[in-house]
């Protein structure tokens, strides 16, 4: 509809990193039927793969969690920017999808998204006009974005929109990122928004994730204080009839401490409230940062780690050199895997010709990354040049953006499907 | 030829980050004629741009430097992975292009590269077969890759190549990355390579960049010691007639202290020697890490910084919120700009409607990045919501890999051309 380039079933070929050298070009949807097996060396390394069963488990687990709280789910699409994964999230029951930019929204609309949050200020005339054009092209489409300053509202008004934009009032924290800092500032802005013909005030948004420390007491206190401020502002806006929609949206929720806000997204107001959680990283989870956070979530929920979110994203790399005792150089680096929160985590290996994965010893550590290399340190390792090592990740977002496509694999690393990304 | 997807003049559309929302799809080559102007808001932000004049200057400066040393240039293509930039490097006089993987090589061949180094071990059967297939499809193509272990040689032999692969013996440093650690090990491997029917020993490679500290005396000592080892090994291999080609290739050179090895790439041997420098980041240079290194290079060369390499890569972002005194939140983050060596460097801004860039005050600093946001700190700033800020980068490689296309702009930020990337 709005795109000329097919983002749902594009043609892929060996100009795409990880695509088999000798394969003819294939449409994405044809890849699952090729019989490729990662552990047989059918795909060149490095290669990022998504594990089908963990992915399916996570989609169901998170939607079930949200359903159980009587709220809706608008997972953040910026994590994967994958139309195929957006479709799975919607099929699992998501109310809509969240984006960071209008360009990201466009990919979502092409994937079938009809309810979208842009969890960001939209400001520029071109971006505002693009939202209007997307809505004109798709009458069912609903788009809400964030408002946090009178300056922004003035710019929106200056763009002279033909129809008002739906906005959520963003509440921020002192020393935080965007968002109104005080009750008075927020209510004053809500009043201006209500009075403006350029926007409809549809609810309130906040993001608790930046305050997370992975300490139960501190995180609970932080989330409660933030949500208390949000409730106070929501109640006053409700009392003063500043909301412009019949249903008020209240949205929060990153991927780290979402359980500490999820129960606070349905305060009692005069109008009906729709709570919306926005977690994004749950979809593949990870072996590092979110593993630690979700372990605490599981503990708070009384859920065993084994039945909670599962790590679904791995990057496989070849051992290219064993130049010194205790050191293997792997042919994957900063161009292939996340490094913004911590180094990759070795989770397994497959010796050449074995066609099966073994668990990596716990003393294996990645000590450094170069652009195209990883330094694997160990006390002892039965590794040879040509063996394959599986690296777990910390922070899914910054691995997804290094790959234009990824295979989906079964428990034996046979390729059963594929996704593309649109960064 | 070897690719079905056109990497030279592909169709781009608004599913590509930074492409104008309302533009029809365009072939890459059509973009320069559209009259788009970054400072008029014709392209959505964030946006990475390449400055035409700095790019041209850098291409000429570096090729001139290499020519002056009587050596050849095989710039590392992994920096940009842009077929259009490979073509400019070749047009400027490069002998060939360097790559990190066989997949990268394929993009280069599609761009017209006919002499290529893979500055990495090639090991897997599929990768070896792909090199052979590329050469079969393009008889003029010459490909050399690195050899640093007997284990690797054995795997190459096990792949039973129809024709031998050209290899360079890699010399590494203790506590370094890949490469033979000792003279004896290197010469023994050279002897095995010479005796093998699977490879032709065509020369020697090393990489001095990992030892760089940006301290003249230490860097000079490090480079000299490494090159002394390389010369000793080269002389012994030459004396023992272990090289299998008439011309011996000697290659070194990253982007930080290349001047300390460039004069040492033509040792006197029985056979003719071709020195090859491999610097990659020079093409756009940067405002951070390489700026500091190149300032030292300039000093050693007696060249003024103003006539040396120029920063050609910037990311522009919108001021989306001014939530507290001294803090602006910009709508660009870890998905858009390098952060692996240091934070982005604010270099300029354009107030809304001014259509012109002003220099950023020196107290402006980016203190942190989130996935989609930057935190700009300042003592005082005449910034408003909706203004545009230009961020300089540190480390070109990790900005290039976040963009599928980039406009090339003139001195007034009018778009005059465009490149695509193939990561």
């Amino acid at each position: 509809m709005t795109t000329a380039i097919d983002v749902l079933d594009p043609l892929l070929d060996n100009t795409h990193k990880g695509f088999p050298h000798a394969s003819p070009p294939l449409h994405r949807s044809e890849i699952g039927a090729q019989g490729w097996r990662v552990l047989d060396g059918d795909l060149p390394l490095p290669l990022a793969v998504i594990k089908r069963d963990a992915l399916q488990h996570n989609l169901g687990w998170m939607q079930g969690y949200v359903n159980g709280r009587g709220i809706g789910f608008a997972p953040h699409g910026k994590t994967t920017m994958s139309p195929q994964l957006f479709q799975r999230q919607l099929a699992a029951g998501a109310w809509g999808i969240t984006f960071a930019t209008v360009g990201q929204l466009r990919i979502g609309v092409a994937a079938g998204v009809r309810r979208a949050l842009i969890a960001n200020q939209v400001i520029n005339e071109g971006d505002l006009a693009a939202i209007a054009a997307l809505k004109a092209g798709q009458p069912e489409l609903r788009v809400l974005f964030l408002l946090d300053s009178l300056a922004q509202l003035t710019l929106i008004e200056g763009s002279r929109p033909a129809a008002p934009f739906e906005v959520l009032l963003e509440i921020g924290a002192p020393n935080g990122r965007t968002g109104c800092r005080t009750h008075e500032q927020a209510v004053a802005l809500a009043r201006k928004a209500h009075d403006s013909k350029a926007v409809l005030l549809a609810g309130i948004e906040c993001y608790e994730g930046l305050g997370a420390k992975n300490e139960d007491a501190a995180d609970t206190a932080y989330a409660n204080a933030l949500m208390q401020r949000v409730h106070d502002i929501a109640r006053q806006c409700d009392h003063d009839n500043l909301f412009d929609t019949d249903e008020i949206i209240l949205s929060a929720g990153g991927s780290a401490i979402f359980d500490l806000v999820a129960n606070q997204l349905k305060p009692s107001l005069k109008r009906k409230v729709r709570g919306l959680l926005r977690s994004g990283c749950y979809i593949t989870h990870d072996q590092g940062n979110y593993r630690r956070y979700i372990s605490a979530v599981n503990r708070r929920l009384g859920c065993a780690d084994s039945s909670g979110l599962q790590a679904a994203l791995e990057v496989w790399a070849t051992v290219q050199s064993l130049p010194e005792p205790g050191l293997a150089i792997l042919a994957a680096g900063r161009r292939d895997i996340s490094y913004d929160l911590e180094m990759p985590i070795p989770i397994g290996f497959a010796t050449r010709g074995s066609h099966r994965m073994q668990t990596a010893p716990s003393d294996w550590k990645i000590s450094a990354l170069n652009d195209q290399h990883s330094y694997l340190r160990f006390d002892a390792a039965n590794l040879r040049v040509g063996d394959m090592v599986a690296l777990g990740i910390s922070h899914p977002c910054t691995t997804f953006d290094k790959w234009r496509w990824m295979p989906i694999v079964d428990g034996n690393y046979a390729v059963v499907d594929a996704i593309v990304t649109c960064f």
Side-chain angles (χ1 to χ4, degrees), chain A:
Chain A
M1 43 147 294
T2 57
T3 66
I5 291 172
D6 183 359
V7 298
L8 296 179
D9 198 22
L11 197 67
L12 304 179
D13 75 2
N14 58 14
T15 62
H16 288 65
K17 185 167 69 165
F19 194 92
H21 293 301
S23 169
L26 295 168
H27 285 278
R28 182 203 60 77
S29 60
E30 299 172 301
I31 287 175
Q34 301 303 309
W36 297 340
R37 301 178 70 88
V38 176
L39 300 187
D40 290 3
D42 292 339
L43 301 99
L45 304 189
L47 182 72
V49 303
I50 297 175
K51 299 174 80 167
R52 178 190 58 191
D53 298 347
L55 175 70
Q56 281 307 116
H57 170 83
N58 294 347
L59 287 162
W61 189 96
M62 197 68 181
Q63 189 64 49
Y65 171 82
V66 169
N67 292 346
R69 270 73 197 162
I71 57 178
F73 193 31
H76 211 316
K78 62 136 185 171
T79 298
T80 71
M81 279 314 295
S82 171
Q84 293 76 39
L85 294 179
F86 299 161
Q87 292 180 330
R88 288 179 188 231
Q89 290 171 313
L90 293 173
W95 176 87
I97 303 284
T98 298
F99 302 98
T101 68
V102 177
Q104 292 182 359
L105 167 67
R106 174 176 290 109
I107 305 294
V109 172
V113 174
R114 294 297 174 261
R115 297 192 199 100
L117 302 188
I118 297 180
N120 232 340
Q121 282 64 39
V122 180
I123 285 169
N124 293 323
E125 219 164 308
D127 286 337
L128 292 164
I131 292 175
L134 283 167
K135 289 174 69 176
Q138 181 51 259
E140 291 169 43
L141 178 63
R142 184 177 181 194
V143 180
L144 303 107
F145 62 80
L146 306 189
L147 178 74
D148 79 341
S149 72
L150 191 55
Q152 182 197 357
L153 180 58
T154 304
L155 291 174
I156 298 168
E157 289 173 335
S159 78
R160 301 179 190 279
F165 294 103
E166 283 194 274
V167 296
L168 303 177
L169 186 67
E170 183 179 12
I171 310 305
N175 302 313
R177 193 164 67 190
T178 45
C180 298
R181 295 301 200 254
T182 69
H183 183 96
E184 293 66 32
Q185 183 192 358
V187 174
L189 182 58
R191 202 172 304 279
K192 294 282 189 184
H194 175 66
D195 292 342
S196 171
K197 289 191 171 61
V199 300
L200 294 174
L201 184 62
I204 299 187
E205 187 267 3
C206 69
Y207 173 50
E208 79 295 338
L210 288 170
K213 294 184 159 71
N214 211 2
E215 298 166 12
D216 274 352
D219 290 349
T220 303
Y222 182 89
N224 286 347
L226 177 61
M227 293 313 293
Q228 185 60 53
R229 290 178 55 224
V230 167
H231 288 181
D232 290 346
I233 293 163
R235 264 191 288 267
Q236 180 157 1
C237 291
D238 188 45
H239 176 269
D240 295 354
N241 294 312
L242 302 184
F243 291 116
D244 297 315
T245 51
D246 293 336
E247 179 185 82
I248 300 169
I249 287 176
L250 208 62
S251 176
S255 300
I257 55 168
F258 57 84
D259 62 312
L260 299 177
V261 296
N263 286 325
Q264 304 187 59
L265 292 175
K266 298 266 286 182
S268 174
L269 299 180
K270 287 190 294 181
R271 299 188 189 205
K272 190 179 156 203
V273 176
R274 180 182 297 276
L276 284 180
L277 204 68
R278 300 193 308 274
S279 321
C281 291
Y282 79 98
I283 190 164
T284 64
H285 194 47
D286 72 17
Q287 304 273 0
N289 183 59
Y290 288 104
R291 179 187 193 157
R292 294 187 292 273
Y293 272 110
I294 295 302
S295 186
V297 170
N298 290 338
R299 203 173 57 240
R300 289 191 292 261
L301 296 177
C303 161
D305 281 346
S306 57
S307 58
L309 295 173
Q310 309 293 320
L313 182 49
E314 296 170 2
V315 175
W316 283 77
T318 305
V319 176
Q320 68 180 105
S321 191
L322 291 159
E324 296 179 8
L327 174 64
I329 303 295
L330 311 182
R334 285 188 285 222
R335 310 313 269 285
D336 309 306
I337 195 164
S338 309
Y339 54 85
D340 55 311
L341 299 183
E342 66 198 292
M343 288 290 112
I345 300 114
I347 53 174
F349 65 104
T351 57
R352 195 179 167 81
S354 72
H355 309 289
R356 68 183 188 88
M357 178 174 171
Q358 298 174 257
T359 302
S362 59
D363 63 289
W364 288 18
K365 296 278 180 293
I366 300 294
S367 64
L369 296 181
N370 296 152
D371 278 10
Q372 307 277 353
H373 301 85
S374 306
Y375 295 70
L376 172 63
R377 308 277 175 181
F378 48 79
D379 296 330
N382 219 355
L383 280 180
R384 294 185 189 193
V385 171
D387 289 347
M388 300 163 65
V389 173
L391 299 173
I393 59 142
S394 187
H395 195 186
C397 301
T398 47
T399 293
F400 270 103
D401 62 17
K402 295 173 173 59
W403 295 87
R404 299 194 179 189
W405 80 288
M406 291 184 191
I408 295 178
V409 299
D410 71 11
N412 297 313
Y413 292 91
V415 175
V416 294
D417 201 351
I419 62 133
V420 298
T421 66
C422 299
F423 287 100

